[in-house]
């Protein structure tokens, strides 16, 4: 263990045990299952650990297991997460002006899934075109698996069995058979090596389950009181549709960050520095909260970029009765932690941008960074409003990820709303051809939502050539927030083309509050406050106050969090969208969208 500013870090290794990646997958009534063939020594508890699926769900899909397991028995193991949704395929006929993003919303799926089902559609849709779409099946009556479901009470009893090693058996094969990690077997038997001989007797710690049927009675949910109703109307926030935390004298918070304290083989100085800056801002927030009477035991844990260690980290004593987890930074780690939080009823705060899919079917997750799709929708609202009767050119990017953002903008732009009787005309083209639509004497507004450095520079050079005859002030270019960080884009271009973009943040070093915070930060750490440090401060202040302290936080130094649940049963996303424009070698705020 290592200490950093009096807070503890935990470094652990991954235990060796078989994984289900190679298991056969079957689709039954549109629902996906792993097929597990029972080996001698398997238990429901071990299968639950292997596939990360609750014993209750395994029994529900395989009612015969309440009487025990038999060697060679085929079990259906529900695939957890989005893939477990009961879906089948349908056909959708594309209508005029429909987009991939709009179709994905209609069928409650993703653009990526539509492209997977219909390779090539990311290049464009045609009216009348027929594409495959996932369609949910009704549950309950007519679903044979649903009809067989029964509720059970499952309890466990620790037990130790003696196993005589047979010819050809290894510590690994025994581990796989009895579903007990190799490290645990070796430790329990005080083994210094992996060697076993036929006839050796080893002890195997297992958990035996006892299954009892439970009588299910319908319970009418309590009606909200008038106080609760009024609170929901007056204070819309993440906690409106979720229970508040139980009041405690002291809370437990875990901060997962890739600090790379041991500087191992995967050490990344740049990531380590960003994580350290984030933590420095977090530490100041915790000090400020302490001054407000907030008490918490905080565990700062070095997760690095190693997803294999996350499982063991979450098994640590520190995570028993955890109240809040902030982090981790990497997508694969975040997905695993999110599933753990869902299963253990713990709130997860994602402090940096991650996959939008992490919110699906998981109401315990809070995305603190507005997704690129939501930013594109906010930008579309702004462009449609301020350039209502002017020429708007939408330039199509090349990469698949950029096309998803592009579709989000296009769908939101073409959507009618109460603010306008008609939708402004938009010209759709590509980088090679857009210059043909740029003419002298017109107000021209070009939207190019690409995050590809090379492609953006190519666009800028073509734009410079095409706009030589355009008068100053007649042109506006809308890009992405990443353009602010591209060193290959000269400030001359950013000013000349009046570049705008949408972002979740408003970092203004000239703001009096920011200047005061920067002074305090310099006194504490002898360096200027960074964007990552401000993110750490704002995230910790906002979510600790709103979720644990039941307080309404003030606007952050850089963030103005506006949390919105993304559909029933899903998680919460910050939908804050700030329009920025380049002015005098800096980007300045124009307006807030989604207020």
């Amino acid at each position: 263990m290592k200490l950093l500013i009096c807070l503890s870090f935990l470094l652990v290794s991954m235990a060796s045990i078989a994984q289900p990646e190679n298991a056969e997958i079957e689709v039954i009534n549109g629902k996906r299952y792993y097929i597990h063939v029972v080996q001698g020594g398997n238990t429901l508890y071990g299968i639950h650990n292997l596939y990360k699926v609750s014993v209750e769900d395994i029994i529900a899909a395989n009612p015969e297991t309440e009487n025990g397991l038999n060697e060679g028995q085929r079990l259906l193991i529900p695939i957890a997460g989005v893939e477990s949704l009961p879906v089948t395929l349908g056909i959708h006929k594309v209508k005029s002006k429909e987009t991939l993003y709009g179709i994905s919303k209609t069928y409650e799926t993703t653009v990526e899934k539509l492209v997977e089902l219909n390779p090539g559609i990311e290049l464009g849709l045609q009216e009348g075109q027929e594409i495959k779409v996932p369609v949910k099946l009704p549950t309950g009556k007519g679903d044979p698996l649903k009809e067989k479901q029964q509720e059970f009470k499952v309890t466990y009893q620790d037990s130790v069995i003696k196993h005589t090693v047979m010819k050809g058996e290894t510590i690994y094969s025994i581990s796989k058979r009895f579903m007990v990690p190799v490290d645990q077997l070796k430790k329990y038997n005080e083994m210094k090596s992996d060697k076993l001989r036929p006839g050796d007797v080893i002890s195997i710690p297992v958990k035996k389950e006892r299954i009892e049927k439970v009588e299910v009675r319908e319970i009418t949910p309590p009606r909200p009181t008038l106080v609760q109703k009024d609170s929901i109307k007056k204070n819309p926030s993440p906690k409106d549709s979720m229970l508040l935390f139980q009041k405690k004298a002291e809370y437990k918070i875990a901060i997962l960050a890739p600090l790379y304290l041991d500087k191992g083989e995967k050490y990344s100085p740049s990531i380590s520095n960003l994580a350290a800056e984030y933590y420095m801002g977090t530490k100041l927030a915790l000090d400020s909260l302490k001054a407000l009477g907030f008490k918490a035991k905080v565990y700062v844990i070095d997760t690095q970029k190693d997803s294999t260690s996350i499982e063991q980290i979450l098994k640590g004593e520190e995570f028993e009765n955890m109240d809040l987890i902030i982090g981790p930074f990497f997508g694969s780690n975040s997905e695993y932690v999110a599933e753990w939080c869902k299963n253990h009823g713990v709130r997860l705060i994602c402090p940096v941008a991650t996959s939008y899919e992490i919110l699906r079917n998981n109401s315990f997750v809070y995305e603190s960074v507005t997704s690129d799709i939501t930013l594109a929708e906010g930008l579309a609202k702004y462009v449609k409003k301020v350039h209502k009767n002017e020429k708007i050119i939408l330039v199509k990017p090349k990469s698949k990820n950029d096309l998803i953002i592009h579709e989000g903008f296009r769908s939101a732009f073409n959507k009618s709303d109460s603010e306008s009787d008609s939708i402004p005309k938009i010209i759709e083209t590509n980088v090679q051809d857009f210059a043909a639509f740029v003419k002298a004497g017109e107000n021209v507004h070009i939207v190019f939502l690409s995050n590809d450095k090379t492609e953006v520079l190519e666009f800028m050079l073509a734009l410079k050539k095409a706009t030589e005859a355009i008068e100053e002030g007649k042109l506006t270019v809308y890009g992405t927030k990443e353009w602010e960080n591209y060193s290959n884009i000269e400030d001359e271009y950013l000013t000349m083309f009046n570049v705008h973009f949408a972002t979740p943040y408003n970092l203004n070093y000239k703001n009096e509050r920011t200047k005061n915070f920067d002074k305090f930060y310099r006194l504490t750490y002898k360096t200027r406050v960074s964007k990552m440090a401000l993110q750490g401060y704002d995230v910790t202040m906002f979510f600790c106050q709103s979720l644990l302290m039941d307080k309404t936080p003030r606007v952050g130094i850089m963030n103005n969090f506006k949390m919105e649940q993304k559909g029933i049963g899903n998680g919460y996303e910050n939908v804050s969208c700030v329009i920025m424009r380049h002015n005098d070698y800096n980007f300045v705020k124009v307006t807030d969208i989604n207020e």
Side-chain angles (χ1 to χ4, degrees), residues 264-282:
E265 60 181 34
K266 295 183 180 179
Y267 173 62
S268 169
S270 58
I271 293 174
S272 177
N273 289 338
L274 288 173
E277 290 171 4
Y278 180 88
Y279 171 72
M280 290 155 73
T282 297

Side-chain angles (χ1 to χ4, degrees), residues 164-176:
T164 301
V165 178
M166 296 182 289
K167 185 178 180 180
E169 281 193 312
T170 64
I171 188 71
Y172 177 75
S173 66
I174 294 171
S175 162
K176 185 175 180 181

Side-chain angles (χ1 to χ4, degrees), residues 102 107 158 179 223 256 364 476 480:
Y107 291 95
D158 290 327
M179 297 183 155
R223 297 176 62 186
L256 311 182
F364 289 91
T476 306
T480 72

Side-chain angles (χ1 to χ4, degrees), residues 281 284-285 288-289 292 506-522 528-530 533-542 545 552-561 589:
L284 291 183
S288 298
L289 291 168
L292 295 174
N506 177 24
L507 176 52
N508 181 4
Y509 282 106
K510 295 180 180 180
N511 178 281
E512 199 62 35
R513 189 166 168 228
T514 308
K515 286 194 291 187
N516 290 336
F517 187 82
D518 186 36
K519 288 178 184 177
F520 177 59
Y521 191 90
R522 287 172 188 261
R528 187 184 190 188
V529 69
S530 66
L534 287 171
Q535 183 71 358
Y537 181 85
D538 283 352
V539 166
T540 306
M541 288 294 291
F542 178 84
Q545 289 186 84
T552 302
R554 65 184 297 191
V555 174
I557 305 294
M558 183 176 71
N559 294 273
N560 183 15
F561 296 108
K589 176 182 171 180

Side-chain angles (χ1 to χ4, degrees), residues 317-341:
E317 293 179 2
E318 294 87 344
F319 286 87
E320 290 184 14
N321 302 314
M322 186 63 69
D323 295 299
L324 193 69
I325 296 178
I326 302 176
F329 282 29
F330 298 110
S332 57
N333 291 1
S334 298
E335 291 167 10
Y336 188 92
V337 176
E339 191 63 24
W340 184 92
C341 286

Side-chain angles (χ1 to χ4, degrees), residues 9-11 255 257-262 300-304 313:
F9 291 85
L10 177 64
L11 293 168
I255 298 171
L259 292 155
Y260 290 96
L261 294 178
D262 60 0
V300 182
I301 301 172
D302 186 4
T303 56
Q304 304 192 18
I313 285 173

